[in-house]
Amino acid sequence: MATIHIIHGYIAFGKTTLARKLARDLPAVHLDADDLIQKLYDKDLPESEFAAKVPVVMNFLWEMARKIIDAGADVIMDIGPWSREMRQNALNMAKQITPDVVFHTIVLNPKIARDRLIKRNQENQILDVTTPEYFDKNLSLYEPISDDEGLNVIRYYQE
């Protein structure tokens, strides 16, 4: 049975880099929420408009995941569910598609991630909402995966 791999981590933790590597190595189809938002709506969305587009994009990605799994291929969901509640929702969506679900979480010091974000934005900002201010404002919403969630988890430790 094909597997849904859900990438977890905060902004600039390296989620997309990991997702691309897994897509090559497994192989699997990589579905990236940020990439789709940028392609459909432009990277210059104000935060309020960005937040309104996320559910639309997520519904589309879950529909695509179902089609890909039905075709027998693995899927990488590069969606980074920050909170326990978001992870439970993602798990519920994935389990409606396949019983095989794996979370891949990146463990990284947020200070390192913030420095990465600043460097990345100097080179090529992905979305306008991914600013250091947005990073700081939303960091309190980020919850690392805990063992008591009972998820099938692979951890990647970065420095």
Side-chain angles (χ1 to χ4, degrees), residues 107-121:
V107 180
L108 179 68
N109 180 321
K111 165 87 171 85
I112 294 170
R114 190 179 191 283
D115 292 344
R116 281 184 183 176
L117 175 69
I118 291 167
K119 182 178 180 193
R120 180 175 79 187
N121 285 355

Side-chain angles (χ1 to χ4, degrees), residues 7-73:
I7 307 300
H8 169 262
Y10 192 57
I11 298 166
F13 270 39
K15 295 182 304 295
T16 299
T17 300
L18 174 61
R20 288 177 181 150
K21 181 180 184 327
L22 288 172
R24 283 189 310 272
D25 293 350
L26 289 173
V29 177
H30 175 204
L31 299 178
D32 182 341
D34 288 344
D35 184 54
L36 187 56
I37 287 172
Q38 183 176 350
K39 286 182 175 155
L40 292 175
Y41 303 112
D42 193 29
K43 74 173 201 153
D44 300 323
L45 282 175
E47 186 177 339
S48 61
E49 288 182 44
F50 175 83
K53 303 297 184 193
V54 170
V56 174
V57 167
M58 292 306 299
N59 287 336
F60 176 77
L61 291 178
W62 284 114
E63 287 176 29
M64 296 308 316
R66 178 178 300 281
K67 290 177 181 181
I68 294 163
I69 292 291
D70 288 348

Side-chain angles (χ1 to χ4, degrees), residues 61-100:
L61 291 178
W62 284 114
E63 287 176 29
M64 296 308 316
R66 178 178 300 281
K67 290 177 181 181
I68 294 163
I69 292 291
D70 288 348
D74 283 7
V75 174
I76 310 290
M77 295 294 287
D78 189 355
I79 57 175
W82 293 350
S83 70
R84 185 181 192 113
E85 179 182 355
M86 291 170 73
R87 284 190 294 281
Q88 190 58 55
N89 290 340
L91 178 63
N92 292 340
M93 292 296 293
K95 290 284 189 178
Q96 291 176 29
I97 299 169
T98 180
D100 297 325

